[in-house]
Amino acid sequence: MTFFAPFTIPFIIGTIFLFAAVATKFVLWLVRLPRVDKRLIRHNLFTWHTLAAVWEVVRESLLHVRIFKVNPVLGFMHASLAFGWFLLIVVGWIETVAYLGAQWVPLQGHVFFKYFMPINGITHHEPLFEQLMDALLLVVLTGVALAWMKRLRSRFMGMRRTTKHILFDRVALSALWFIFPARLIAESLTAALYGGEGFLTGSLGHALAETVPHDLLVMFYEPSWWVYSSLLGIFFVAMPFSRYMHILAEIPLIFLRHWKLHPTAERKSYDRFEVEACSRCGICIDPCQLQSELGINDVQSVYFLRDRRYNMLNLKVANNCLMCGRCEAKCPVGINLNTLRLNSRAKRRNIPYEGRYKYLRGLDRSSGEGRVGYFAGCMTSLTPATQHSMEQIFKAVGEDVWFADRDGGVCCGRPLMLTGETDAARKMVAYNTDLFRRHNITTLVTSCPICLRVFREHYRLDGIEVLHHSEYIDRLITEGRLSVAADARRYTYHDPCELGRGCGIYDAPRRVIAAVGEVVEPKHSRRDALCCGSSLANTVIDDSQQLRLGERMTAELEATGCDTIVTSCPLCMKAINRAARCSVEDISEVVAKNILRS
Amino acid sequence: MRRASWQEYQKDIADDKYYYARSCIRQNFFPGSEKAFLDILGKDLGIDIFDDPLHTSCTGIGYHSDVVPLETIMTVVARQFALMAEAGYENFISSCITSFGIYNEVLATWEEFPETKERTRRYLKEATGRELVLPRSIAHTSDIMFHHRRAIAQRAKHRLVNVHTGEPLRVVEHIGCHYAKIFPKSGIGGSEFPYVLAGMIEAWGGDVVDYPERRHCCGFGFRNYLVQANRGYSIANSHKKLESMAPYRPDFIVANCPGCAMFLDKWQYAIAEMEGTTYGADGRGIPVLTYEEMAGLVLGYDPWELGMQMHQVDVEPLLDKMGVAYDREAKYLGRGGKYIGKPAKVAVNCDEERRIYQIKR
Amino acid sequence: MRNINFGYGISRPRAIDIDNNDLRKSNAIIAEMPELQACIGCGSCTASCTAGNLTEFNFRRLHTAVRRGEYKGAYEDINKCMLCGKCRLVCPRGINTRALIMLIKRKLGDF
Amino acid sequence: MAKRVVIVGGGPAGMQTALELKARGIEPIIVERDVELGGKVRDWHKLFPSFTPASDVLDPIIRGVKSAKIRCFLGQEVRAIAPDGVTLRSEERIHADAVVVATGFTLFDAHRKQEYGYGLYSNVITSVDLERMMNNGRVTLADGSEPRRIAILHCVGSRDEKVCQRHCSKVCCITGVKQAIELKQMFPTADVFNFYMDIRMFGAGYEELYREAQQRYNVHFVRGRISEAAQTINDRIQIKAEDTLTGRPLRMTVDMLVLLVGMNGNRDNESLAASASLNIAPNGFFEPKDSFRGAVCSQREGIFFAGAATAPKSLADTLAEASMTASTVAEYLNHKYNTR
């Protein structure tokens, strides 16, 4: 048997094209990886990391466990399509083997098995496979139906908004929507003409045979397989250029990730895997406050990745992001959205200027002496109560403190990084690193989460422990060095983005506040906490828009009925203060007010 | 007439019996002008004017350059007044704008701070044995010329008119800063629209050019010129004025201040050397006259008698326009036909000689 | 042309010459961020400036000069900014100063 | 018999006082130097900060005065005032039970700031000239063409000791902002530069309008007073100022220079004050009895003030004060005749 019919040509062409295109992409991307990344791959290839990656591929590429966790209906939709289709292929292959033994059958032979081997041409019938294949088809069709539903009414799927797609996506999407209904029709027609026992295709075939004249069935028989094959062909050709590339891109991505590759402040070939692994599911749209509060709906991560992938990214889209990380926290593919956004900015506007920051040379405005260094941060000089409270706390525990920037310091460099000027930021990083080293500190406490994050992620401060002041205070209390009196107030804590999602510090501040009073949680908190809107990462929204974001999130904090809103970031503090009716305090103030003198 | 407001500020000017105080700069750069002034008033108009050989510099340049203290200059001024009184005069006229400013400033200081006047009286007595007497009136010599402009017009041999076209000559008037910018009431027409030179030009048939930088200083500014490091600033001011007046194609510039007349004339040469730009309709520079030279030409004086060969910018084109007869050959011949030398030409591109001034860096 | 070394030249005027300044860049900056014009010259930005605390960098004067078409030295100067964003927090007119600094940098030098 | 009050001045202050007195059953008599009622607002096009046409405010008041049949002596000048009446230049005497001085202000004569060349240079105009042009429906340069660059100079004849006007005229800043916006509306491609010493936006909605002028209309505000103006060869105006916010001199050529002329004390204040022994404040305006509770009273019983006679005031302030004057006068008459 040759397993060839003219209608299979579109499918064959599509498949060859798909494999060629995808292989080219992967090879190119891998070849272009920087040397460091290649070394990582070599180093980790034959370790248990690879096995872990295989397991994750099953969980994520097929079962979509993470989407399940965010949104079960959406998870089912993805799993039914992905895993269902995967099983259709696998079971179909087994079915072929079951009928024909271990002989070589070309690909189209497996895919169009029902055409080449209708029931009446088969000597020994295997009804189990027939029922199984029908069941799998039904599962996939359910997924397709849900996808239709999502397009029509996204709310039904628990999403307020869904992605707007480009042309390639629409072609691929349309093909995908009709592939399985077309298969259903083709197989049902086959069953009507040549018999079939399947509960789905067989029943439908019998029904057709009874209601539709035989001539018509014959007339539509071949075309129905043409349609099915063509839809597959179209889908495969469109796939590498559409969002469906994610199906394939996610697999190598999972492996690379397990081999410890990650995106950096500079763009590199690895980013392609992440960018193309975005399925444009649109889960990132809803958590974006720019969308929900300000109605800005063309800058979210899904659009950013899309624009970047197709080289149509403009500065305004790249810059219009709070980088609060709420979308990153929810991304089912786990794409490093903020890092990609950052290195997009860097690509577009990192022009080093030689004479820049010459004035830093030889500068030292620090004061005091001690093994503990305190870096208040630029913004903290606008919230002097924080600085003052910290000094009180230091005094209460008798800590000798070296003050890095009491008389005005040099910026930590993160604001520059956030606008993409990584090269310029390096000068600040070098300056401050040198300053900390020169003063021989072993602990560095900062009151600014923005500084904290850059100290931890970009500074090489081996031998110096970097702490946010909330962590430091927490430690003082836990170790018993500082005792605080409890008061009867109710505090609501606002998680600053850079501290919470940025550095994963959620519990320390809560423990500190709990030592003083009652902590009441707002509707969104911890990993889900809202952004205050004053983020340095966004340079596009204007003051009134910042204010609106601040007002909405402050209203949510106040809705807890608290007496005082507590935060631990000077920027958040300023933003909440603009909008709040109740009192707003930094965590250090709460503590400093309640210090018990021994 | 729109310019009516130019005449708003007027001041009392004596008709006769003037005590004449000379100018340091003019005696060196425009010696003919001071002589012409004395001749025009004394001989043409028959006015009593006394040129006292005893009087001295007012020390104004030293004062403005911070080398002469206030007490000193007040005493010097007091001595001039005392000399005037001793000579039997009471109308003090000054040939120099700087001096004119100094006299006004000193008189105003004495009035506002009488103790300074008493101190000066004492110093004068101790130093010279003379008594302090205040003049009845103070005027600049251009005020005097303005005052007698109609009498001069009556005696005019030439008018400020282009004899070939019959059109009035376009004249840029430049007033020294210290004429009225220190005390607006001390100048005719005030500080914004001083009428002193404009009045003469109009009385003698010319048209006054009002150009945007009319009020601007010539750039002399004492320390700005005297210190070489500042001299670029000095010339920049003249440059700005010349640039601003150039589109009006003036036939000549007339100034009532020694420094201004000198600078507007000499800087034209320096600018030509530095930038290759020569002003004036024919690229030969814009002649710069003192008001005495202007009055002298109107009254038919010989231009070389007036000392106009001392100018860096050649005045011949202007003389031709006015129809003034002159001996081309005699220009640089002094008394007894002796060659007195000549300045570099303003149109530097025509100059064959190439000279380098040795200036210490 | 210069035959003689006088030891000095004609000083260029310090004045901002609106007539001869090329206002295209400044117009483009204002067109892109009209809120710049809302500056009332209070100087809060400069007073709070982290870079201004360490150098003579004066953002208020700089952007005022840029608006008048005075670009000389502005790019070098604006590069002293560390983009820390304090100025945006204190601006009474709510001007998005960081975006403005990036915009000026872009128009005057970057790209 | 109704009490009679003579009101000197038929501008907004005088008319409003008259209307409110009439409503209280008191007979007001207006003496106005001009042959028409309305005062200087008659020349005004639109009012800040709402751009309300001036006639929308003024016309109902004038109609009110006419329909209330208030006696008006038009084209008559008051020579002397006293608590019991006024004497006209014609030596006619009008007896009254009280007198209200609502003589307003005199506009600063821009000729006095010679350095700006008003009356000398063809395209230097005052804010009043501009309002008049707008009332006539067309703002142009002297040669009939459209201005492409306009400078508006604040504080001409205000806060200037050189012309003996030390006070702030209060309304010019907002007028400058209003006129800048109007000019930008007329000539959207033109550049408008406001040269100011301080921007004083004291009223409700003024600051907002200022910001709108800056941000929405792209009006350039330069902090610095123009020191001199000179005409160029093509009838433009070259101006010099210091851009104090950059600390550098600034020069430019404009097509039109608008001088925001200030309010001076009425030129007749001296003689009127002398006739009734009233006080003139150092700023040239009448000095009220005290600035808080007696702001509309003079030092003499029976003589009252309304409007800009005592200080520069906006139209809104003037009308509000007129009401206060009327009630103060009514109370005075009531007290005077009931206790007798």
Side-chain angles (χ1 to χ4, degrees):
Chain A
M1 200 161 186
T2 57
F3 291 103
F4 180 78
F7 81 85
T8 59
I9 291 171
F11 166 77
I12 293 168
I13 293 173
T15 310
I16 292 170
F17 184 86
L18 172 67
F19 275 97
V22 171
T24 315
K25 279 190 174 196
F26 285 174
V27 169
L28 276 181
W29 297 348
L30 286 170
V31 168
R32 286 180 186 161
L33 279 177
R35 196 165 298 158
V36 190
D37 285 355
K38 285 180 182 156
R39 198 178 307 134
L40 279 172
I41 295 176
R42 276 198 301 278
H43 192 255
N44 289 319
L45 186 58
F46 299 106
T47 60
W48 60 270
H49 292 301
T50 310
L51 289 177
V54 172
W55 175 231
E56 195 187 331
V57 167
V58 174
R59 277 166 55 90
E60 290 311 317
S61 298
L62 295 177
L63 298 174
H64 292 85
V65 176
R66 270 200 290 264
I67 304 189
F68 254 116
K69 282 182 185 162
V70 180
N71 181 333
V73 186
L74 208 60
F76 175 75
M77 183 191 103
H78 282 86
S80 60
L81 274 167
F83 195 52
W85 196 355
F86 174 76
L87 285 181
L88 266 181
I89 295 166
V90 174
V91 176
W93 183 78
I94 299 170
E95 188 184 19
T96 323
V97 174
Y99 281 113
L100 302 176
Q103 72 174 81
W104 184 81
V105 177
L107 193 61
Q108 72 269 26
H110 295 284
V111 175
F112 306 113
F113 187 72
K114 280 257 166 55
Y115 177 86
F116 294 115
M117 299 290 265
I119 297 283
N120 58 5
I122 291 171
T123 43
H124 57 286
H125 188 210
E126 298 275 4
L128 173 68
F129 281 109
E130 209 175 350
Q131 299 301 353
L132 199 57
M133 290 297 276
D134 266 19
L136 289 172
L137 182 60
L138 184 64
V139 169
V140 175
L141 282 170
T142 324
V144 171
L146 284 171
W148 287 11
M149 201 80 98
K150 178 183 163 216
R151 221 14 57 185
L152 289 171
R153 298 192 65 130
S154 55
R155 262 184 202 282
F156 173 81
M157 303 295 291
M159 292 171 78
R160 285 200 296 276
R161 280 171 188 271
T162 184
T163 326
K164 292 175 301 229
H165 290 305
I166 59 158
L167 183 67
F168 260 118
D169 288 345
R170 287 177 195 283
V171 170
L173 181 74
S174 311
L176 182 63
W177 277 5
F178 292 105
I179 284 173
F180 294 97
R183 176 171 175 158
L184 178 67
I185 290 166
E187 292 192 353
S188 300
L189 278 172
T190 311
L193 289 173
Y194 303 103
E197 307 284 300
F199 72 92
L200 190 63
T201 53
S203 316
L204 203 56
H206 286 301
L208 283 172
E210 278 165 28
T211 50
V212 181
H214 188 74
D215 296 352
L216 270 181
L217 290 177
V218 173
M219 202 170 94
F220 281 114
Y221 175 63
E222 282 282 333
S224 71
W225 284 101
W226 268 100
V227 170
Y228 178 41
S229 164
S230 305
L231 285 170
L232 281 172
I234 291 169
F235 179 69
F236 289 160
V237 169
M239 195 174 171
F241 310 107
S242 75
R243 66 198 192 105
Y244 297 100
M245 181 64 198
H246 80 270
I247 299 171
L248 302 165
E250 197 184 349
I251 298 166
L253 175 66
I254 288 170
F255 281 94
L256 293 177
R257 233 183 241 155
H258 279 273
W259 295 331
K260 307 287 180 223
L261 271 69
H262 56 82
T264 56
E266 275 91 41
R267 288 169 76 129
K268 57 182 186 182
S269 178
Y270 171 81
D271 299 353
R272 307 281 328 189
F273 290 100
E274 294 224 331
V275 170
E276 303 216 357
C278 169
S279 66
R280 268 168 252 165
C281 62
I283 283 176
C284 54
I285 299 175
D286 279 347
C288 180
Q289 286 163 264
L290 295 182
Q291 187 278 124
S292 58
E293 308 295 355
L294 305 178
I296 299 169
N297 51 19
D298 56 352
V299 302
Q300 283 71 26
S301 293
V302 54
Y303 302 118
F304 155 72
L305 289 175
R306 179 196 68 193
D307 291 357
R308 173 159 165 182
R309 177 172 170 191
Y310 298 111
N311 273 326
M312 47 190 213
L313 184 63
N314 65 43
L315 208 58
K316 218 170 165 189
V317 170
N319 283 344
N320 200 355
C321 172
L322 297 162
M323 292 206 193
C324 61
R326 278 168 60 80
C327 57
E328 195 176 278
K330 292 211 164 68
C331 177
V333 191
I335 301 172
N336 289 292
L337 297 168
N338 280 351
T339 313
L340 291 178
R341 176 100 55 173
L342 271 187
N343 68 31
S344 293
R345 292 179 183 178
K347 165 83 186 318
R348 301 185 72 82
R349 45 176 349 295
N350 193 18
I351 282 74
Y353 155 65
E354 279 310 305
R356 218 168 160 185
Y357 306 122
K358 263 192 191 148
Y359 62 85
L360 296 181
R361 205 170 296 155
L363 200 74
D364 189 347
R365 293 202 168 188
S366 62
S367 55
E369 226 169 288
R371 304 290 275 168
V372 173
Y374 178 59
F375 189 93
C378 301
M379 295 292 180
T380 311
S381 64
L382 296 174
T383 56
T386 308
Q387 221 162 338
H388 182 68
S389 302
M390 282 311 293
E391 284 171 25
Q392 275 181 286
I393 293 168
F394 288 135
K395 209 173 142 196
V397 299
E399 192 93 82
D400 289 330
V401 181
W402 167 73
F403 292 94
D405 61 348
R406 193 149 56 170
D407 188 29
V410 170
C411 174
C412 64
R414 180 143 173 91
L416 275 166
M417 289 181 186
L418 288 173
T419 56
E421 302 202 46
T422 36
D423 288 351
R426 241 170 244 137
K427 303 208 173 184
M428 250 134 270
V429 173
Y431 169 83
N432 281 320
T433 307
D434 178 57
L435 186 74
F436 299 152
R437 291 235 170 275
R438 239 180 315 129
H439 287 273
N440 292 319
I441 51 170
T442 51
T443 308
L444 177 63
V445 181
T446 178
S447 288
C448 176
I450 302 165
C451 305
L452 178 77
R453 187 153 180 206
V454 75
F455 288 159
R456 286 196 174 167
E457 291 181 4
H458 294 273
Y459 280 54
R460 310 195 63 171
L461 294 172
D462 313 319
I464 301 176
E465 191 184 19
V466 181
L467 295 175
H468 183 247
H469 71 291
S470 62
E471 292 177 300
Y472 174 74
I473 298 169
D474 177 41
R475 192 174 292 183
L476 292 180
I477 294 174
T478 320
E479 289 173 357
R481 291 176 65 191
L482 184 74
S483 355
V484 287
D487 64 22
R489 298 178 72 81
R490 289 156 58 83
Y491 296 98
T492 287
Y493 177 67
H494 165 71
D495 287 289
C497 302
E498 295 277 52
L499 192 68
R501 283 179 295 267
C503 297
I505 300 171
Y506 299 107
D507 296 323
R510 284 179 170 78
R511 270 198 302 273
V512 170
I513 302 168
V516 174
E518 185 191 346
V519 185
V520 274
E521 294 289 343
K523 187 175 159 208
H524 294 89
S525 77
R526 294 180 174 259
R527 242 170 101 76
D528 204 22
L530 295 175
C531 172
C532 69
S534 287
S535 163
L536 286 176
N538 192 313
T539 48
V540 177
I541 58 170
D542 66 22
D543 190 58
S544 63
Q545 291 170 311
Q546 280 194 333
L547 181 61
R548 204 168 338 145
L549 290 174
E551 280 172 346
R552 294 287 183 87
M553 78 53 104
T554 305
E556 202 183 284
L557 296 174
E558 286 182 328
T560 59
C562 62
D563 302 308
T564 301
I565 296 173
V566 185
T567 189
S568 50
C569 165
L571 261 178
C572 298
M573 175 88 176
K574 283 269 168 201
I576 300 170
N577 236 333
R578 278 180 93 176
R581 268 168 294 223
C582 68
S583 67
V584 187
E585 286 176 7
D586 185 83
I587 195 159
S588 59
E589 289 177 72
V590 175
V591 172
K593 273 184 194 168
N594 289 283
I595 294 176
L596 275 179
R597 313 267 164 204
S598 48
Chain B
M1 186 185 164
R2 293 209 117 175
R3 262 182 229 285
S5 72
W6 286 41
Q7 302 170 36
E8 193 176 282
Y9 289 117
Q10 291 293 353
K11 65 177 184 183
D12 290 331
I13 298 169
D15 296 325
D16 205 343
K17 290 189 176 303
Y18 305 121
Y19 180 85
Y20 189 61
R22 283 181 178 260
S23 150
C24 308
I25 291 179
R26 306 185 89 208
Q27 287 174 68
N28 290 291
F29 287 89
F30 309 102
S33 288
E34 294 202 329
K35 173 158 192 314
F37 183 80
L38 293 168
D39 286 350
I40 291 168
L41 261 72
K43 293 178 185 157
D44 292 75
L45 303 176
I47 286 166
D48 179 6
I49 179 162
F50 180 51
D51 180 20
D52 187 349
L54 289 178
H55 87 282
T56 64
S57 163
C58 74
T59 70
I61 293 179
Y63 172 63
H64 288 302
S65 311
D66 281 355
V67 296
V68 172
L70 183 62
E71 284 75 12
T72 309
I73 197 167
M74 280 185 173
T75 313
V76 171
V77 167
R79 179 177 173 273
Q80 313 277 63
F81 291 159
L83 288 173
M84 174 189 69
E86 287 165 19
Y89 289 84
E90 48 190 3
N91 300 316
F92 195 92
I93 62 173
S94 150
S95 167
C96 173
I97 289 288
T98 305
S99 305
F100 179 66
I102 293 288
Y103 294 125
N104 279 307
E105 185 183 332
V106 167
L107 285 173
T109 311
W110 286 346
E111 193 170 324
E112 294 282 334
F113 306 97
E115 68 278 11
T116 59
K117 187 176 165 189
E118 290 318 308
R119 214 161 46 223
T120 309
R121 193 189 297 281
R122 211 174 65 235
Y123 292 156
L124 180 67
K125 185 76 183 169
E126 285 169 8
T128 68
R130 292 190 151 90
E131 294 297 334
L132 175 60
V133 185
L134 297 190
R136 192 164 66 90
S137 77
I138 284 261
H140 183 250
T141 47
S142 62
D143 290 334
I144 305 301
M145 198 69 95
F146 171 82
H147 194 62
H148 298 290
R149 67 193 185 281
R150 293 202 180 84
I152 291 169
Q154 281 166 12
R155 292 165 174 78
K157 301 258 178 359
H158 303 284
R159 285 168 55 75
L160 302 178
V161 169
N162 186 328
V163 289
H164 307 292
T165 62
E167 295 283 317
L169 293 177
R170 289 181 300 274
V171 188
V172 159
E173 44 89 51
H174 177 81
I175 307 290
C177 292
H178 292 194
Y179 174 70
K181 282 182 191 161
I182 304 178
F183 301 103
K185 297 266 181 214
S186 68
I188 291 164
S191 63
E192 295 297 332
F193 297 96
Y195 190 58
V196 58
L197 293 178
M200 289 183 224
I201 294 162
E202 285 172 1
W204 302 336
D207 255 0
V208 180
V209 171
D210 183 10
Y211 61 108
E213 298 293 355
R214 176 176 52 76
R215 300 167 173 97
H216 207 88
C217 171
C218 71
F220 179 77
F222 303 96
R223 271 164 293 185
N224 290 313
Y225 174 70
L226 297 172
V227 179
Q228 192 194 325
N230 297 342
R231 219 167 278 168
Y233 177 65
S234 176
I235 190 171
N237 283 277
S238 289
H239 180 243
K240 181 184 269 183
K241 285 188 74 75
L242 290 162
E243 284 287 318
S244 176
M245 71 175 74
Y248 295 82
R249 304 167 79 81
D251 292 301
F252 70 96
I253 300 166
V254 61
N256 70 343
C257 172
C260 307
M262 177 173 93
F263 272 79
L264 290 171
D265 183 39
K266 312 271 182 254
W267 280 142
Q268 288 192 51
Y269 159 72
I271 291 168
E273 289 279 8
M274 290 172 177
E275 305 242 302
T277 311
T278 327
Y279 297 94
D282 47 6
R284 293 169 68 184
I286 307 169
V288 184
L289 273 59
T290 65
Y291 55 94
E292 293 101 330
E293 288 170 344
M294 177 168 74
L297 290 180
V298 167
L299 289 168
Y301 280 53
D302 178 75
W304 311 146
E305 284 287 307
L306 289 168
M308 294 175 83
Q309 63 275 58
M310 300 286 281
H311 294 196
Q312 194 110 27
V313 179
D314 288 336
V315 291
E316 285 91 334
L318 171 67
L319 301 178
D320 292 341
K321 278 183 211 161
M322 284 178 69
V324 172
Y326 59 95
D327 181 356
R328 194 176 295 275
E329 302 303 318
K331 185 172 181 186
Y332 296 112
L333 299 181
R335 285 243 168 87
K338 203 180 99 193
Y339 178 64
I340 56 171
K342 64 176 179 181
K345 285 220 181 326
V346 166
V348 287
N349 295 333
C350 313
D351 195 11
E352 290 147 28
E353 287 173 81
R354 182 189 151 83
R355 284 158 300 165
I356 307 291
Y357 289 101
Q358 295 302 321
I359 292 179
K360 260 193 224 154
R361 279 254 157 215
Chain C
M1 189 54 57
R2 198 161 168 171
N3 293 324
I4 295 174
N5 175 12
F6 287 91
Y8 56 91
I10 301 173
S11 310
R12 294 298 136 200
R14 249 184 93 241
I16 298 172
D17 184 351
I18 300 276
D19 292 345
N20 293 316
N21 279 358
D22 179 2
L23 294 171
R24 276 174 300 184
K25 282 179 184 172
S26 96
N27 285 339
I29 288 167
I30 293 169
E32 207 163 306
M33 287 194 74
E35 65 191 75
L36 171 56
Q37 284 283 61
C39 172
I40 47 176
C42 72
S44 299
C45 49
T46 307
S48 65
C49 181
T50 301
N53 188 29
L54 307 171
T55 71
E56 283 177 11
F57 175 59
N58 182 328
F59 179 56
R60 179 199 51 72
R61 193 166 56 210
L62 183 138
H63 78 64
T64 312
V66 166
R67 277 189 284 159
R68 312 265 183 264
E70 295 286 326
Y71 314 120
K72 194 160 171 269
Y75 180 73
E76 289 71 19
D77 225 29
I78 207 161
N79 267 307
K80 291 182 180 146
C81 165
M82 306 195 230
L83 276 175
C84 73
K86 274 169 82 181
C87 47
R88 189 175 185 186
L89 279 186
V90 295
C91 177
R93 286 279 178 136
I95 297 170
N96 187 347
T97 49
R98 292 178 80 238
L100 201 58
I101 286 166
M102 285 156 63
L103 176 65
I104 293 174
K105 260 161 63 73
R106 206 164 76 230
K107 293 283 179 201
L108 296 189
D110 289 2
F111 284 85
Chain D
M1 204 187 87
K3 311 284 178 302
R4 187 197 261 185
V5 175
V6 172
I7 297 162
V8 187
M15 291 191 294
Q16 184 69 21
T17 310
L19 281 176
E20 304 224 5
L21 285 174
K22 182 85 179 178
R24 288 175 162 84
I26 298 166
E27 187 205 346
I29 295 175
I30 295 175
V31 186
E32 166 60 45
R33 177 158 58 190
D34 209 340
V35 291
E36 260 183 82
L37 290 172
K40 292 178 194 70
V41 186
R42 260 205 334 257
D43 286 335
W44 228 249
H45 181 53
K46 282 180 179 168
L47 302 173
F48 56 78
S50 54
F51 295 92
T52 310
S55 54
D56 284 9
V57 177
L58 194 61
D59 289 353
I61 300 177
I62 297 178
R63 275 201 302 276
V65 169
K66 285 183 178 153
S67 66
K69 300 208 166 38
I70 291 169
R71 274 178 68 196
C72 298
F73 289 77
L74 296 179
Q76 302 273 0
E77 216 170 317
V78 171
R79 184 179 62 75
I81 49 177
D84 62 345
V86 301
T87 314
L88 303 182
R89 283 244 179 268
S90 58
E91 293 306 323
E92 187 186 338
R93 200 164 149 69
I94 306 171
H95 289 279
D97 301 298
V99 170
V100 173
V101 178
T103 49
F105 61 95
T106 295
L107 271 171
F108 176 76
D109 176 12
H111 290 96
R112 290 178 61 197
K113 287 301 284 181
Q114 281 188 324
E115 55 266 50
Y116 303 138
Y118 180 65
L120 200 60
Y121 304 145
S122 26
N123 291 313
V124 178
I125 61 170
T126 66
S127 43
V128 183
D129 297 334
L130 182 62
E131 290 291 332
R132 220 171 272 144
M133 280 187 189
M134 290 192 282
N135 261 342
N136 295 337
R138 212 166 124 71
V139 175
T140 63
L141 300 177
D143 65 2
S145 61
E146 286 189 356
R148 282 192 311 240
R149 191 186 271 172
I150 303 157
I152 298 177
L153 174 60
H154 292 229
C155 295
V156 177
S158 304
R159 307 177 70 202
D160 184 358
E161 302 202 356
K162 287 286 175 286
V163 289
C164 308
Q165 301 296 334
R166 297 170 189 214
H167 62 278
C168 164
S169 294
K170 201 171 168 182
V171 296
C172 332
C173 279
I174 179 66
T175 302
V177 167
K178 181 202 77 135
Q179 292 188 338
I181 291 177
E182 288 173 312
L183 286 166
K184 279 296 266 191
Q185 284 169 341
M186 274 182 274
F187 313 112
T189 57
D191 284 321
V192 179
F193 290 80
N194 280 44
F195 287 85
Y196 66 94
M197 304 201 291
D198 284 308
I199 289 278
R200 301 185 163 185
M201 292 290 147
F202 60 91
Y206 293 8
E207 181 71 15
E208 289 83 344
L209 196 68
Y210 172 34
R211 191 187 176 124
E212 194 169 311
Q214 293 177 305
Q215 192 167 336
R216 191 161 146 227
Y217 289 97
N218 192 17
V219 175
H220 305 274
F221 284 83
V222 183
R223 189 185 177 282
R225 189 186 181 94
I226 295 175
S227 64
E228 59 180 58
Q231 184 154 284
T232 66
I233 196 160
N234 46 9
D235 283 359
R236 301 181 80 209
I237 314 294
Q238 180 189 294
I239 53 179
K240 293 181 185 176
E242 188 195 348
D243 182 4
T244 59
L245 293 182
T246 54
R248 288 176 58 190
L250 179 143
R251 44 183 289 166
M252 66 193 296
T253 315
V254 297
D255 299 318
M256 180 187 267
L257 173 62
V258 181
L259 308 175
L260 287 170
V261 285
M263 294 183 183
N264 296 168
N266 196 309
R267 60 176 174 273
D268 294 336
N269 283 0
E270 291 284 345
S271 62
L272 281 185
S275 74
S277 319
L278 301 176
N279 283 6
I280 299 282
N283 64 8
F285 289 83
F286 282 110
E287 188 173 54
K289 197 165 141 203
D290 81 75
S291 339
F292 303 101
R293 297 191 34 87
V296 298
C297 303
S298 74
Q299 292 82 2
R300 296 272 313 265
E301 246 189 32
I303 300 180
F304 299 87
F305 298 122
T310 47
K313 287 189 184 81
S314 70
L315 183 57
D317 289 351
T318 296
L319 294 177
E321 193 178 275
S323 301
M324 184 159 87
T325 306
S327 68
T328 311
V329 170
E331 198 167 309
Y332 161 76
L333 294 176
N334 211 1
H335 187 74
K336 181 174 167 187
Y337 289 98
N338 286 347
T339 49
R340 205 168 263 176

